[in-house]
Amino acid sequence: MSDLKKMIEETTDRLFADHVTPDVLKAGDEGVWQEDLWKKVEDTGLPRVLLDEDNGGANGDWQDAGVVIERCGYHGIPLPLGESIAANFLRAKSGQPIETDPTTIGIIRTDGDKQFAKRTPWARHVKSAMMALPSGGSITQINLEGLTIDHQSNMASEPRDDIELTTQSMESASSDNAMSEFNIMSIGAAVRAGQMAGALNRVLEMSVTYCNDRVQFGRPIGRFQAVQQQMAVLASEVAAASHAAQTAFEAMSQSGLDASADIAAAKIRTSEAAGKAADIAHAVHGAIGITQEHQLHYFTRRLRSWRVEFGSENYWAERLGQKVFSLGPDELWTSITENHLSIN
Amino acid sequence: MSTNAFFNFESVTLPPETEALRREARSFLKENLPEREASERGRTWGGFDPQFTKKMAQQGWIGMTWPKRYGGHERTALERYVVLEEMLVADAPVGGHWIGDRQSGPLLLNFGTEEQRQFYLPRIASGEIYLCIGMSEPDSGSDLASVRTKAEKCDGGYRVNGRKLWTSNAHQSHYMIGLFRTHTDSENRHAGLSQFLVDLSLPGISIRPIPDMLGQSHFNEVTFDDVHLPEEALVGKEGAGWDQVNAELAFERSGPERYLSSYLLLVEAIRLIGKTPTQMQKQAVGRLVAHMMTLRRMSLSIAGMLHDGQDPRREASVVKDLGTAFEQELPRIVQSMIELEPTLATHDRYTELLSYFTQISPAFSLRGGTREILRGMIARSLGLR
């Protein structure tokens, strides 16, 4: 691990462990914006981890960003930090000014004679977002102030808002035609895969602790083979998902958003693990796990939501599969051994 | 991200020199891979072909990581990994030397005497001798510590009596590394086991092949009737067999063969579907490939641990459990993608392979340690016991 990565991991972990308390998780769940926590996050420069020093960044690569994003998932931080890292990366790439406010990413689609950015993460709490324009395939900074925002949320009570765009908000946009809606899907999928890797590790640790603490039939439930076999499945799924996410961030450090096959594999693998892991963790925890008295639900609800955001496993599997078929049977192995295959 | 609290999967980047080796392996395979029946190809690392083994030896691809003074080639674990995965995806018949290269050689390097190393290792590396592993017995499968075949001290060595079962390729091997009981300790069943190098041509040994349900011969029953072994047949320390076997099983469980067994079927399914897949076919294949990409990276990570001299036992049990689940679900998923009946011997490559893998895939999570045993080991790694 590089020194920078180690330092970033320690900083992030300490900050989140100290401040993402049960009260903060609960308040976040109830829709309360955590302004103080955002200030602290902003002070550390984490939203700009990928930017160079001129832009107030840490000059980090996607592996460094991956550490931050993974820790976001592990601690369940109720803030758009992953989204801000992604949006600032896109800003820097297209030469747009970087802001210290929270920001997000989204996709604009045409519906009749109107244009909407539906299910935009945290839109009500941000001033501007990096968004893919409809059918033009470019990514643009959109000012969200004054727009009609319909408050929606995912299963974990995280804001996923529907925005109605005006002609004015679209006109002010300068655009970079080299990037596309697919890039927003890719960068979003990478963020969610990293967050899922973190939440999966948290759910595993909580389940191991519970297996050792909970006594039934006169012994900790972790001593029963029936429970051990399930826990082994959980642990293996978590290991695979973490490694898939790690591989994607490494590939992105080399090839950016062109590493789309690795991003696809990571989203497919973490999404699949998310469902299995949430089911096993709840099975192991019993009734307490499905109550608000235990913290497990903060993580399983996020896992089940993130699983389908920025493309479910089927969305990405279809695209990866399309690429495999177009290469043909005799190129499959070559393409797997060649690093950083692109599927767009 | 190294935040998993229980397992250490560091990512491994293959060094550039492995790329040339990979190209070498691919062109070698193009020239030297014999034409075979579909089911024979399906056996992958179970396939047996002395000529092919000889050619591998001439390339320096057996005993790749062993010291040169023992006939090895002093290449890295990662270089060996690249050759292995290329052989496996091509279904090369590597069964002759597989056991010796994978585990018996490393066992002798770790625990063997200088004489044993000098005699056996160069012969394994040159493709002259094949080894098999005598662990299981009629009453001893997953519960390996219950082995009863006895090696009793006698004049000038040991006298062996008992039976080994499911011994893969014993009928085609020159030597067995057998796990025998040299001592009975009612307090500690893991004590009193020892490993021996057994020359299978010795008097008193009889080998009976047991055809599997598909009619293929790899299993054997090996009976020992007052077989006399010289003292120098002992491997490592008398009574230390349990620990030695566990170290050896790490090699047995850690390789890429634990997820690639049915890869050939995926390739043939993609060929059959052609250029106009349905949405469901794309999703199914994309998912399988995502799993494969991940398993390969994890498998490489274990090769990296071996490369760095670390003990990959915990991680290997995770990859074997995930890998065998993958290679077992592959025939089922492929079947659901293409509405064709599996067939026996109709010279239709795809349906024959489908038939072969549909039937044989339960074996994938039996060989090398059952799924339940591995999951028990994973649970122990979590601190649950």
Side-chain angles (χ1 to χ4, degrees), chain B residues 11-70:
Chain B
S11 49
V12 166
T13 310
L14 284 171
E17 64 268 21
T18 58
E19 280 318 303
L21 183 59
R22 188 185 296 287
R23 282 195 296 276
E24 232 180 284
R26 285 178 184 169
S27 66
F28 168 82
L29 283 162
K30 221 171 230 168
E31 279 176 31
N32 294 295
L33 205 55
E35 271 297 313
R36 290 156 299 154
E37 295 281 318
S39 60
E40 196 50 43
R41 284 192 66 189
R43 293 181 65 181
T44 61
W45 46 285
F48 182 85
D49 181 342
Q51 277 185 317
F52 190 83
T53 284
K54 272 279 177 204
K55 284 178 186 162
M56 287 279 291
Q58 282 157 13
Q59 292 291 313
W61 291 343
I62 305 176
M64 280 179 81
T65 62
W66 308 347
K68 286 191 174 152
R69 64 180 184 282
Y70 302 129

Side-chain angles (χ1 to χ4, degrees), chain A residues 94-307:
Chain A
S94 57
Q96 313 215 28
I98 309 303
E99 292 169 35
T100 56
D101 292 322
T103 177
T104 192
I105 53 175
I107 292 168
I108 303 172
R109 293 198 176 98
T110 305
D111 185 359
D113 54 357
K114 289 183 172 169
Q115 286 171 320
F116 295 95
K118 290 195 170 165
R119 305 202 64 75
T120 305
W122 303 91
R124 76 193 72 162
H125 299 299
V126 310
K127 291 183 185 135
S128 73
M130 292 300 282
M131 294 199 169
L133 296 179
S135 59
S138 60
I139 294 175
T140 298
Q141 172 149 305
I142 301 283
N143 186 357
L144 302 188
E145 285 171 306
L147 295 182
T148 308
I149 295 180
D150 179 14
H151 291 198
Q152 301 283 336
S153 71
N154 66 11
M155 287 186 280
S157 304
E158 292 179 313
R160 299 292 184 260
D161 298 332
D162 291 348
I163 309 164
E164 186 180 339
L165 282 298
T166 58
T167 328
Q168 202 185 9
S169 66
M170 308 272 290
E171 264 175 6
S172 64
S174 68
S175 63
D176 173 354
N177 285 306
M179 295 189 284
S180 63
E181 176 178 318
F182 186 76
N183 279 357
I184 295 284
M185 290 300 281
S186 300
I187 203 167
V191 169
R192 291 293 180 261
Q195 287 174 302
M196 278 192 276
L200 283 164
N201 278 292
R202 184 65 175 273
V203 159
L204 172 62
E205 286 175 28
M206 287 171 114
S207 300
V208 169
T209 303
Y210 192 79
C211 277
N212 285 324
D213 292 349
R214 173 70 172 168
V215 173
Q216 287 288 277
F217 304 101
R219 48 187 172 150
I221 59 169
R223 294 220 186 127
F224 292 95
Q225 286 194 354
V227 177
Q228 290 177 356
Q229 295 278 308
Q230 292 198 67
M231 287 298 292
V233 174
L234 172 58
S236 297
E237 286 294 311
V238 173
S242 304
H243 205 67
Q246 183 180 326
T247 301
F249 288 123
E250 279 162 19
M252 290 169 78
S253 295
Q254 302 279 319
S255 323
L257 297 180
D258 286 336
S260 45
D262 289 302
I263 295 173
K267 188 63 166 65
I268 292 165
R269 198 61 193 84
T270 49
S271 290
E272 194 173 322
K276 286 187 198 166
D279 288 347
I280 294 173
H282 277 296
V284 165
H285 277 81
I288 191 74
I290 55 169
T291 70
Q292 296 195 355
E293 288 176 18
H294 198 283
Q295 291 197 32
L296 180 65
H297 74 95
Y298 291 120
F299 301 94
T300 56
R301 286 162 63 218
R302 279 168 168 78
L303 283 171
R304 295 194 201 279
S305 301
W306 295 341
R307 176 181 188 168

Side-chain angles (χ1 to χ4, degrees), chain B residues 280-296:
Chain B
M280 182 272 273
Q281 288 166 335
K282 285 189 252 183
Q283 286 175 348
V285 166
R287 177 182 169 273
L288 289 172
V289 170
H291 276 256
M292 221 179 118
M293 288 167 71
T294 307
L295 283 164
R296 176 168 180 267

